[in-house]
Amino acid sequence: MAPARQTLAPAALSIPQAPREFEFSDADFRALAKIAYEHAGITLPEAKKNLVYGRLSRRLRTLGLFSFEDYRRYLVENGEQELELFINALSTNHTKFFREEHHFHHFVSDVVAPFAAAHPSGGRLRIWSAGCSTGEEPHTIALILHAELKNIASRDVRILATDIDTDVLRRAAQGVFSAESAASVPAKYRGALSKSDDGESVTVDRGVCSLITFGRLNLMDDWPVRGPFDAIFCRNVMIYFDQPTKARLVERFTDLLRVGSWLYIGHSESLIGSHPRLKLSGRTIYRRTA
Ligand SMILES: C[S@@+](CC[C@H](N)C(=O)[O-])C[C@H]1O[C@@H](n2cnc3c(N)ncnc32)[C@H](O)[C@@H]1O
C-alpha cells in the first residue's frame, strides 16, 4: 500500500509569533477601536491591530500595567484625562513642509496673488489648517504669506492651526524644526528661517510664527471657529474617517468657506461624485461655488 501523502498542517507552516509583552485580545482591540471611533472619528480596521498594540504599549509601560484589559479599565476610570493621552498615542502625525506642493503653487496663484492685487495694503485673510500635526503645514503657509505679501504686519492676516493631539500642538507652537525637515522649503521661502549654531535645527522667526494661532480642536465636536475662511487645508486627516463622517465634515468646512474660496484635501481623499456647492478645480482642490 502506498504511504499516505504527508501534508503540513497550516499551524506548522505559520511563522511562530514572538510572545507579546502585554496580553492583547481581539476583545481588547475592538473595545479600544470603538472608543477611538466614538471620541475622534478614527476608524481602526482589524488590520491595524499590531499598530494599535505598538502605539499603546508605551502607555502601558509608563502606567506599570500588565495587560490591555487593565488599560481598558484604567481608561474608563480616568475619563477625559487618559482619553487625551490615548488619542495622542494613537494618532498618525506624519507631515512635512510643502507636502503635496501643487497645493501651495495653487495657494500662491489663486489665493495670495488675488488678495495682494485687491489689497495693496491692509485687507483681511483667514486660513485654517485643520489637523495641523507638528506644524509643518501652517508654517509652510506662514512662510509663503510672509514672502509673498508686502507689509504683512499691517494686514489682518491670520492662520488658525488646530489638531486633536496636544503633544503635536505643543511642538508645532514652538516653531523649531530639524534642519533635515526644513530642507524641503524652497529657497524663496527660507528668509524667515534661522539655523541653530550646530546646524541641526531651524527656528521660524517670531513675527512669522505669530501669524498662526494654535488650538486643540476635535473635528468631531462643535467648532468654536468663526469664518469665513479664504482657504481651508484639511489634508491627510479625513483618510482616517469613514464616509459619513467625511461627508459631514466637508459640509461643515464648506459652510465656513467664503463663496469663491478654497478647500484643499489630501491626495487619497478626493470627494466622490459631484457636490452642490464645491467644484473640483485641480488635483484635490475644491472651490466653493454657492
Ligand atoms: C497625518 S496628520 C496630517 C498633517 C497635515 N495636515 C499634513 O497633511 O501633512 C493627521 C492629523 O490629524 C489629526 N486628527 C486625527 N483625528 C482628528 C480629529 N478627530 N480632530 C482633529 N484632528 C484629528 C491627528 O492628530 C494628526 O495630527
Side-chain angles (χ1 to χ4, degrees):
M1 206 169 76
R5 245 193 29 235
Q6 296 248 321
T7 52
L8 285 172
L13 282 174
S14 64
I15 299 157
Q17 295 249 316
R20 288 189 190 272
E21 183 182 357
F22 303 107
E23 268 176 52
F24 187 40
S25 67
D26 286 346
D28 293 330
F29 171 71
R30 279 195 296 271
L32 293 172
K34 186 165 180 279
I35 297 172
Y37 179 73
E38 286 171 353
H39 182 68
I42 298 172
T43 54
L44 294 168
E46 202 68 29
K48 295 270 173 82
K49 191 173 169 191
N50 284 339
L51 179 136
V52 168
Y53 179 89
R55 290 191 177 172
L56 289 175
S57 290
R58 197 185 317 159
R59 194 75 205 112
L60 269 73
R61 242 170 262 133
T62 306
L63 294 168
L65 299 175
F66 294 106
S67 72
F68 275 79
E69 200 178 338
D70 291 345
Y71 182 64
R72 279 165 61 188
R73 210 169 301 118
Y74 184 90
L75 190 54
V76 171
E77 284 163 5
N78 288 272
E80 283 296 321
Q81 201 183 332
E82 182 58 29
L83 207 49
E84 178 181 324
L85 300 176
F86 168 73
I87 296 295
N88 286 1
L90 275 186
S91 60
T92 299
N93 304 121
H94 174 73
T95 184
K96 57 181 193 163
F97 282 103
F98 285 81
R99 185 180 194 180
E100 298 182 46
E101 202 168 345
H102 70 283
H103 283 161
F104 298 106
H105 293 306
H106 180 275
F107 177 66
V108 171
S109 62
D110 288 71
V111 179
V112 184
F115 172 79
H119 305 279
S121 64
R124 175 191 185 278
L125 192 70
R126 290 289 180 274
I127 315 296
W128 183 10
S129 163
C132 65
S133 190
T134 40
E136 285 80 346
E137 181 176 278
H139 279 99
T140 295
I141 298 166
L143 291 172
I144 290 174
L145 293 173
H146 170 76
E148 300 283 346
L149 291 175
K150 284 196 202 95
N151 303 324
I152 193 161
S154 65
R155 298 171 184 267
D156 184 11
V157 172
R158 308 282 325 147
I159 302 157
L160 173 67
T162 62
D163 202 284
I164 194 173
D165 182 336
T166 46
D167 288 337
V168 292
L169 278 173
R170 253 188 300 278
R171 288 168 56 192
Q174 285 167 0
V176 181
F177 299 92
S178 73
E180 195 185 342
S181 80
S184 52
V185 177
K188 182 177 182 192
Y189 297 120
R190 302 185 68 87
L193 296 177
S194 344
K195 231 179 194 167
S196 61
D197 291 343
D198 62 7
E200 296 282 314
S201 62
V202 295
T203 302
V204 181
D205 289 0
R206 275 288 115 204
V208 175
C209 242
S210 67
L211 295 171
I212 312 170
T213 304
F214 290 97
R216 179 173 190 263
L217 188 136
N218 179 352
L219 290 168
M220 299 304 117
D221 292 346
D222 288 339
W223 299 348
V225 166
R226 259 188 307 138
F229 288 96
D230 299 280
I232 297 177
F233 291 76
C234 185
R235 308 182 311 151
N236 308 299
V237 179
M238 293 192 280
I239 191 173
Y240 305 106
F241 302 155
D242 60 14
Q243 197 52 40
T245 306
K246 188 170 141 178
R248 215 167 30 248
L249 277 181
V250 168
E251 287 314 307
R252 296 175 75 193
F253 285 135
T254 308
D255 290 343
L256 283 172
L257 283 171
R258 206 170 37 71
V259 174
S261 60
W262 305 94
L263 174 65
Y264 299 93
I265 65 176
H267 65 282
S268 54
E269 300 168 316
S270 60
L271 309 181
I272 302 159
S274 62
H275 188 282
R277 294 187 291 162
L278 292 174
K279 182 173 179 285
L280 183 64
S281 306
R283 200 155 27 108
T284 53
I285 303 171
Y286 294 83
R287 181 171 213 178
R288 180 171 175 184
T289 51

